Structure formats: structure tokens, C-alpha cells
Amino acid sequence: MERTDLIARYRRSLKRRNYSVHTVKNYINILSHFNTWLQIPVELVTSKETDAYMEHLLRRRKKPKTINCHFGCIHAFYDYLIEDEGMPLANPVKKNYRLRLPRPLPKHLRDAQVEALFKEIKDSRDRAMFMLMLRCGLRVEEVARLTIDAIEYRSKQLYVFNGKGSKDRVVYLSDDAKSAIDEYMNKRRWSKEKRVFLVQKGPLKGKPISVRGIQKRIEYYAQRSGIEVSCHHLRHTMATQLLNADADLVTIQDLLGHSRITTTQCYCRVSNLKVQRDYYKAIKVVLQRTQPIRQDNFEFGKKGVMENRV
């Protein structure tokens, strides 16, 4: 059977499976591109040809995400040939055959954005939840699971039990975070629920708020303030602010609950303020230990060069 016929049959198969028009169009465009490049019948393709096709895409400077999309489509096409068309083939594209995507830099809020965001948060529960993310670096799941007995008010400590990777850790309450929790706890004294943050309206009133419930609240405030922000952005902001304030990287790692220091090191790439401050601090020492290059020395050297040329 001709390759174009197989692709046409695959198109009809995708439509029967209720794939969107946009998705079907993308799949067929990718397969048509692969078909045009291919010099042999589809049933003879091996990993040798798929490796060559990847090199072809790389030479054309396609992004890793685009290349992964190509190979995902080709893998699905060969699955169709094997399962639906009954062709005795081995899929030349392995299931996890993909390029590693570059990790994006963690996003954080600027001080003015933090101020503008919290101006919109009037509700005491929401203010306390998001203050714990901003000041203590808690993940949204950790906020949702936080219990009353995990807060030590006298020592201004908060215990995070069974965090990511089943790790426990201790974080510390800033004055504004403690004030936010105090205000909320005074308003929810009526409840005997062990979880700190509860649903305030509707049929689930008094029950622990879910992770998705917290995320919906930050989405609401993001829309009101016009600031692109998520729960994790607040955690990233806390790490960046501490780094800019000269906190040690190992300390930040411990507060965030990172298993590896390399995860925490991502914040070094966005903390330009600390880089600038460290540079001027270091260059000041360099200038004190070495003779500064003065303008008159430069002019003298320039004059000597001109005399030699004459």
C-alpha cells in the first residue's frame, strides 16, 4: 500500500477517535514531512532512519519540543500500522525516545508586584495561606495539609510533616506571616477541624480546603491584580529574596526542602541583584590590592606609542 494511502487511512482513524481538527491537522503535517524526507518504504524504517531524521530536524534548527512532537506522532503512526493495519513491524521509535527539554528559569515576583498582589488579598484565610508560601516557602500541598499542631507560636516555627519526598522539615515564621495566621485563627475558633485552612462557603463549609481550591484563589487574585502569579511563584519569590539578602544557598535548600543543592542553584541564575552586589564588593577588594588603572597612565602610554610611530 502507498505511503500516502496509509496516511490518509490514519487521518480517518484519528477522526473516528474524536481527535480535534487542529490535532489531526498537526499529526498529518508532521507525517507528510516525514514521508517527503523518507527514501524507503515505511515498513523498512528502522532506528537508523529515525536517528537520521532527528539529525535532519536538528540541522534545520528545530527546537527540542518540536522534535519531540515529531517523534511522538511517528511513534503513534507506527502503533496504528501495527495494531490497526496488522502490519508485522517493530516500532522504530521507542516510547521514550525524546530530547531533554531545557528547564525554564524559576519565575519570581518583584517587590512592587508582591505589594500590589497582597493589596488585593483582603480575606484573612487567603492572606495567611499565601503568606506561608511567600515567607516560609511552603508548597501548595503543604499548605493544604497543614495542621494546627504543626504551628509553634512561641518559637515562631512551623513543622512540615511528610513533605515532598516524604521529608520532614522546620521553617520559620516571619512577623507578618505570624500576624496573618493569628488573624485567621481568631476567626476560625469555632471549628475543631485539625487542618488549618478550611472552606468558608457552600456545602463543604468547614471542611479542609483542597489543593485545587487554593489554586483557584490565587488565580482569582492574579486576575484582579493583573499579575501573572501562581502558588509556586510565591515560593520562588521567597527563595530569590533570601538569596538577594545574602542568605546561604544551603540554608535556602533546607528551608525549601530540596533534596539536591543543584535544584536550589537554579535561583542563582535569576538573582541578578546579588551578582551585582557581589561583583562590586569583590572588585573593591581587587582595586585595594592592585594599583588602579588611571586615565593619566593611559594617556602617557598612548603618547609613547604615538612618539614611537613618528
Side-chain angles (χ1 to χ4, degrees):
M1 189 178 295
E2 292 290 333
R3 282 183 283 185
T4 52
D5 292 337
L6 288 173
I7 293 175
R9 290 165 68 98
Y10 183 54
R11 182 207 294 267
R12 291 193 291 271
S13 172
L14 293 176
K15 288 182 177 179
R16 285 197 300 270
R17 296 175 189 176
N18 294 322
Y19 280 73
S20 69
V21 175
H22 179 72
T23 302
V24 172
K25 183 179 179 181
N26 283 345
Y27 269 52
I28 300 306
N29 285 343
I30 288 172
L31 290 174
S32 298
H33 184 276
F34 178 64
N35 183 38
T36 303
W37 173 87
L38 198 59
Q39 301 295 319
I40 60 175
V42 290
E43 59 269 22
L44 298 181
V45 173
T46 65
S47 58
K48 180 181 178 181
E49 282 74 35
T50 55
D51 287 344
Y53 184 62
M54 178 173 284
E55 291 178 6
H56 162 72
L57 294 176
L58 288 170
R59 283 196 301 271
R60 296 192 63 185
R61 303 196 175 203
K62 297 293 184 182
K63 294 181 179 180
K65 189 173 182 180
T66 302
I67 294 175
N68 289 344
C69 187
H70 273 249
F71 278 84
C73 292
I74 296 169
H75 176 84
F77 176 61
Y78 272 91
D79 273 352
Y80 162 78
L81 296 180
I82 295 166
E83 296 172 9
D84 291 41
E85 294 291 339
M87 297 178 70
L89 304 173
N91 198 319
V93 181
K94 294 181 181 179
K95 193 170 184 179
N96 295 319
Y97 187 77
R98 60 183 61 228
L99 294 177
R100 181 175 293 180
L101 298 177
R103 294 185 65 181
L105 290 173
K107 294 182 179 179
H108 68 283
L109 301 182
R110 300 186 184 279
D111 293 344
Q113 291 177 311
V114 171
E115 185 178 355
L117 175 67
F118 275 85
K119 274 185 179 179
E120 296 292 337
I121 305 176
K122 309 297 184 184
D123 184 86
S124 61
R125 180 203 63 184
D126 294 350
R127 194 172 186 85
M129 289 192 305
F130 300 132
M131 194 62 76
L132 288 179
M133 298 177 192
L134 179 69
R135 297 298 189 225
C136 306
L138 264 62
R139 300 178 177 92
V140 61
E141 298 88 352
E142 294 166 347
V143 171
R145 293 198 305 263
L146 185 66
T147 57
I148 293 175
D149 59 0
I151 305 173
E152 186 62 53
Y153 290 97
R154 288 187 179 180
S155 59
K156 298 204 300 188
Q157 293 182 342
L158 191 151
Y159 298 94
V160 181
F161 299 111
N162 198 27
K164 189 174 181 179
S166 301
K167 291 174 59 180
D168 299 339
R169 72 182 191 279
V170 178
V171 297
Y172 303 91
L173 292 169
S174 62
D175 291 338
D176 54 356
K178 183 176 180 299
S179 297
I181 292 177
D182 287 342
E183 183 182 351
Y184 170 62
M185 293 303 291
N186 286 333
K187 292 183 178 180
R188 59 139 285 174
R189 286 180 176 177
W190 49 268
S191 176
K192 294 182 180 180
E193 175 63 50
K194 291 184 179 181
R195 295 280 180 92
V196 173
F197 298 109
L198 310 177
V199 177
Q200 298 181 144
K201 297 178 182 178
L204 296 178
K205 181 178 178 179
K207 300 293 182 181
I209 190 170
S210 65
V211 167
R212 184 63 192 134
I214 299 173
Q215 291 170 337
K216 284 184 177 180
R217 296 307 294 164
I218 198 68
E219 289 167 7
Y220 168 76
Y221 292 116
Q223 188 174 14
R224 281 185 62 102
S225 63
I227 298 170
E228 185 181 349
V229 60
S230 67
C231 295
H232 221 59
H233 286 166
L234 296 177
R235 178 174 153 87
H236 290 323
T237 301
M238 178 257 201
T240 304
Q241 287 178 338
L242 288 180
L243 191 63
N244 281 333
D246 290 327
D248 190 79
L249 202 60
V250 176
T251 299
I252 299 173
Q253 177 192 7
D254 190 57
L255 292 172
L256 293 179
H258 287 158
S259 299
R260 299 179 180 180
I261 192 69
T262 51
T263 307
T264 316
Q265 283 174 333
C266 293
Y267 298 99
C268 292
R269 297 157 62 194
V270 296
S271 186
N272 294 328
L273 182 61
K274 177 174 171 57
V275 173
Q276 181 183 11
R277 190 165 58 247
D278 286 352
Y279 167 77
Y280 283 117
K281 181 179 178 181
I283 204 68
K284 185 177 179 181
V285 175
V286 171
L287 292 174
Q288 289 173 348
R289 292 170 56 184
T290 60
Q291 185 176 359
I293 302 174
R294 301 182 183 278
Q295 182 67 21
D296 53 357
N297 290 343
F298 175 74
E299 291 294 339
F300 177 79
K302 185 177 178 182
K303 182 179 178 182
V305 170
M306 293 300 294
E307 288 176 348
N308 289 336
R309 285 182 179 177
V310 172

